[in-house]
């Protein structure tokens, strides 16, 4: 057993948590209205390819992060340019996630100042990062079963309020399906690219059984999203989904057993814990990327300054919910999808060519 | 809200100096020191700009305007509802 901080199983759990953790109370395929589940189904394939590409890249260059591989296969200047775009991408995701979790927390703590919630969230993440990668892996392992249980409870609770006629007509127009496919590919599926920075710290990747677990848990995450998309569209309908800010939250507000109401508060456990896990993953990934790009021996001294940087820039980039909605759901995806998809694809193709040339040589 | 951001800036910096300050100086790694300083300067600059509502620093959101025409095209072409 090699001495690495995360096991392949823990990585698989973290990959699963990436999907509910980034979607939280949203349905990513709303561009596609009632056919959102079809877009989600196809988009899961794009994420699967990205996951395959980063794992294969790690096979070709074992023990190296994706940012180091980029410089090796593309050369110094193109490699650095791609790495900086990737870094900017991860930075945007992180601040978007921080803001999203804070506006969600404001539902339960409406009287607390935003800045207090932002600071609390950042300090919790900073504490986790100081505990090391092992703590993150164990947290994922600890969280997975309660999250799965609550997801199952969520399905059982939501089924009675679902009206399947809300999912019809199916495939009336191909254009929204393509739009939905593009948006869902970007968020949440191709986000798995971030794991390219963690792979050198994962043990047991050479074992086929452990490696398959990573794919299985990713597919399970995709299935979760498809199911929740069907349930949310079935219970609310596409018109209401477009009006509500948090559709999944509203779906659980509708659900309940007799006098047992306000079930949505139970699901805050999933939203908060999986959300903070993803923030920690991205925060850690940013640290690893900066350490690698700047050639630093350690990232420990960057933890607190970067936490402060993220806090300030979340406030600066998203000064209000309207700007957040426009930037996060309209403009950022178009910038992010090409990077999330092309970065691993180009690296994968270049690495394969390089490997072939070396074999021939 | 903006006013308390100054306290947050000071709190985080104080915490950083307490936890990492001495070890960072002892290591004498110039590159590490420069990266840390750059991050702190940017945080303070933008933090104060936001807290005082001065808006004198370049807006990082403008970096995203490069892809705005593409986003608008996608929205129009694929008939996405706003």
């Amino acid at each position: 057993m090699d001495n690495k901080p995360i096991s392949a199983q823990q990585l698989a759990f973290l990959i699963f948590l990436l999907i509910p953790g980034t979607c939280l109370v949203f349905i990513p395929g709303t561009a596609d209205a009632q056919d959102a589940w079809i877009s989600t189904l196809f988009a899961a394939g794009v994420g699967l390819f990205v996951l395959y590409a980063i794992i294969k890249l790690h096979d070709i260059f074992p023990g190296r992060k994706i940012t180091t591989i980029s410089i090796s296969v593309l050369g110094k200047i193109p490699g650095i340019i791609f790495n900086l775009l990737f870094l900017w991408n991860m930075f945007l995701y992180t601040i978007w996630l921080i803001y999203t979790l804070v506006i969600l927390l404001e539902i339960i703590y409406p009287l607390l100042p935003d800045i207090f919630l932002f600071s609390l969230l950042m300090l919790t993440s900073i504490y986790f990062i100081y505990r090391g990668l092992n703590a993150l892996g164990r947290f994922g392992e600890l969280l997975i079963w309660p999250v799965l249980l609550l997801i199952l409870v969520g399905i059982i609770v939501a089924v009675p309020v679902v009206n399947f006629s809300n999912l019809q007509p199916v495939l009336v127009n191909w254009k929204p399906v393509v739009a939905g496919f593009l948006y869902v590919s970007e968020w949440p599926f191709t986000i798995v690219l971030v794991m390219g920075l963690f792979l050198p710290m994962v043990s047991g990747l050479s074992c086929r059984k452990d490696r398959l677990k990573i794919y299985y848990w990713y597919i399970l995450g995709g299935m979760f999203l498809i199911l929740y998309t069907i349930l949310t569209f079935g219970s609310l309908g596409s018109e209401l989904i477009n009006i509500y800010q948090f559709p999944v939250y509203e779906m659980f507000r509708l659900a309940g057993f007799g006098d047992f109401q306000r079930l949505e508060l139970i699901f805050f456990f999933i939203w908060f814990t999986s959300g903070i896990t993803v923030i920690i993953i991205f925060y850690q990934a940013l640290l690893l990327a900066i350490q690698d790009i700047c050639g630093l021996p350690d990232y420990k001294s960057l933890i607190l300054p970067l936490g402060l940087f993220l806090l300030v820039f979340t406030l600066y980039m998203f000064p209000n919910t309207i700007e957040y909605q426009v930037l996060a759901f309209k403009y950022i995806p178009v910038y992010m999808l090409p990077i999330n998809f092309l970065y691993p694809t180009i690296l994968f193709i270049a690495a394969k060519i390089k490997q072939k040339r070396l074999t021939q040589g | 809200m903006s006013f308390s951001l100054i306290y947050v800036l000071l709190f985080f910096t104080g915490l950083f100096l307490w936890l990492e300050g001495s070890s960072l100086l002892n290591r004498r790694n110039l590159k590490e020191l420069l990266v840390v300083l750059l991050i702190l300067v940017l945080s303070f600059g933008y933090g104060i700009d936001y807290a005082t509502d001065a808006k004198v620093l370049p807006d990082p959101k403008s970096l995203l305007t490069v892809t705005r025409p593409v986003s608008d095209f996608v929205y129009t072409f694929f008939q996405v509802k706003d």
Side-chain angles (χ1 to χ4, degrees):
Chain A
M1 186 82 179
D2 40 358
N3 191 22
K4 287 176 177 175
I6 313 181
S7 68
Q9 177 160 299
Q10 288 172 338
L11 181 84
F13 292 157
L14 291 176
I15 286 175
F16 172 81
L17 288 170
L18 266 181
I19 296 169
T22 46
C23 295
L24 296 168
V25 280
F26 303 108
I27 290 296
T30 46
D32 192 8
Q34 73 277 5
D35 291 332
W37 65 274
I38 300 173
S39 318
T40 311
L41 184 71
F42 287 121
V46 182
L48 196 63
F49 166 73
V50 171
L51 190 62
Y52 171 79
I54 57 168
I55 292 174
K56 281 286 161 194
L57 273 171
H58 186 257
D59 284 346
I60 301 169
F61 299 95
R64 291 165 84 174
K65 293 182 198 118
I66 196 162
T67 41
T68 323
I69 298 170
S70 165
I71 293 171
S72 298
V73 296
L74 300 175
K76 201 168 184 182
I77 292 166
I80 289 174
I81 292 169
F82 268 96
N83 285 346
L84 289 175
L85 286 170
F86 177 47
L87 189 73
W88 171 241
N89 210 354
M90 283 194 298
F91 165 73
L92 288 174
Y93 268 125
T94 319
I95 59 167
W96 172 77
L97 279 163
I98 295 169
Y99 190 83
T100 310
L101 205 56
V102 167
I103 54 170
L104 194 62
L105 282 173
E106 278 176 350
I107 298 174
I108 331 177
Y109 305 112
L111 298 177
L112 275 180
D114 293 7
I115 195 79
F116 182 76
L117 292 172
F118 277 116
S119 308
L120 211 62
L121 199 64
M122 282 324 298
L123 286 170
T124 314
S125 311
I126 286 166
Y127 176 73
F128 255 99
I129 305 272
Y130 264 111
R131 302 306 299 170
L133 266 172
N134 189 269
L136 179 64
R138 283 182 180 213
F139 186 57
E141 212 167 23
L142 196 73
L143 212 60
I144 196 80
W145 301 112
V147 166
L148 277 177
L149 181 77
L150 277 175
I151 285 174
L152 198 70
V153 170
I155 294 166
I156 296 166
V157 160
V159 164
V161 288
V162 172
N163 176 7
F164 285 100
S165 63
N166 283 334
L167 296 167
Q168 288 169 337
V170 181
L171 287 173
V172 180
N173 189 354
W174 65 271
K175 283 182 176 177
V177 180
V178 177
F181 166 74
L182 294 174
Y183 282 97
V184 187
S185 298
E186 181 269 327
W187 166 59
F189 291 121
T190 52
I191 283 177
V192 289
L193 171 64
V194 76
M195 290 303 177
L197 287 159
F198 291 87
L199 289 177
M201 284 151 271
V202 179
S203 63
L205 270 180
S206 46
C207 171
R208 190 174 173 270
K209 201 179 153 193
D210 283 346
R211 183 179 290 216
L212 281 176
K213 274 184 192 167
I214 296 174
Y215 293 112
Y216 290 153
W217 281 93
Y218 168 82
I219 293 167
L220 199 66
M223 280 163 62
F224 147 80
L225 192 61
I226 294 166
L227 210 59
Y228 265 63
T229 307
I230 292 173
L231 291 174
T232 315
F233 271 92
S235 56
L236 298 176
S238 52
E239 293 300 321
L240 280 178
I241 283 177
N242 281 330
I243 296 167
Y244 289 135
Q245 194 181 9
F246 306 128
V248 180
Y249 175 80
E250 296 299 335
M251 175 181 75
F252 286 125
R253 281 187 69 177
L254 275 179
F257 306 105
D259 293 331
F260 194 53
Q261 299 295 317
R262 300 301 310 269
L263 284 176
E264 74 278 7
L265 294 175
I266 297 171
F267 295 96
F268 259 96
F269 175 80
I270 303 185
W271 299 325
F272 183 73
T273 49
S274 59
I276 201 160
T277 309
V278 181
I279 290 173
I280 298 164
I281 291 172
F282 272 91
Y283 188 176
Q284 180 74 63
L286 273 172
L287 285 165
L288 291 169
I290 295 171
Q291 182 200 1
D292 210 42
I293 291 167
C294 300
L296 303 176
D298 192 16
Y299 63 73
K300 211 179 154 200
S301 58
L302 300 176
I303 299 174
L304 269 159
L306 188 69
L308 182 64
F309 184 85
L310 290 172
L311 193 153
V312 167
F313 276 83
T314 309
L315 289 166
Y316 205 91
M317 297 278 278
F318 304 121
N320 53 59
T321 321
I322 296 165
E323 279 201 52
Y324 157 79
Q325 292 271 4
V326 175
L327 268 180
F329 298 101
K330 189 174 178 182
Y331 294 121
I332 292 179
V334 175
Y335 165 80
M336 285 185 172
L337 180 64
I339 295 169
N340 279 358
F341 181 71
L342 291 175
Y343 182 63
T345 311
I346 292 172
L347 287 186
F348 181 60
I349 295 167
K352 278 277 174 197
I353 294 168
K354 198 175 177 179
Q355 193 189 29
K356 204 174 176 183
R357 276 186 192 161
L358 280 173
T359 329
Q360 282 169 351
Chain B
M1 187 180 101
S2 299
F3 182 65
S4 52
L5 182 62
I6 306 283
Y7 292 121
V8 173
L9 287 169
L10 293 173
F11 174 73
F12 271 74
T13 314
L15 197 64
F16 166 70
L17 290 174
W18 179 49
L19 291 173
E20 298 294 333
S22 59
S23 63
L24 185 68
L25 289 173
N26 286 340
R27 278 201 296 274
R28 293 174 190 274
N29 188 330
L30 193 66
K31 208 193 262 181
E32 193 179 5
L33 204 67
L34 278 174
V35 175
V36 167
L37 273 177
L38 179 73
I39 295 174
L40 281 176
V41 166
L42 281 172
S43 309
F44 263 83
Y46 277 92
I48 293 167
D49 192 60
Y50 177 82
T52 56
D53 208 16
K55 303 259 183 264
V56 285
L57 293 173
D59 192 347
K61 283 197 289 283
S62 60
L63 287 171
L64 294 169
T65 53
V66 184
T67 53
R68 276 194 184 192
V70 186
S71 312
D72 292 333
F73 170 76
V74 169
Y75 256 58
T76 321
F77 183 76
F78 290 113
Q79 302 162 7
V80 179
K81 283 181 192 170
D82 263 312

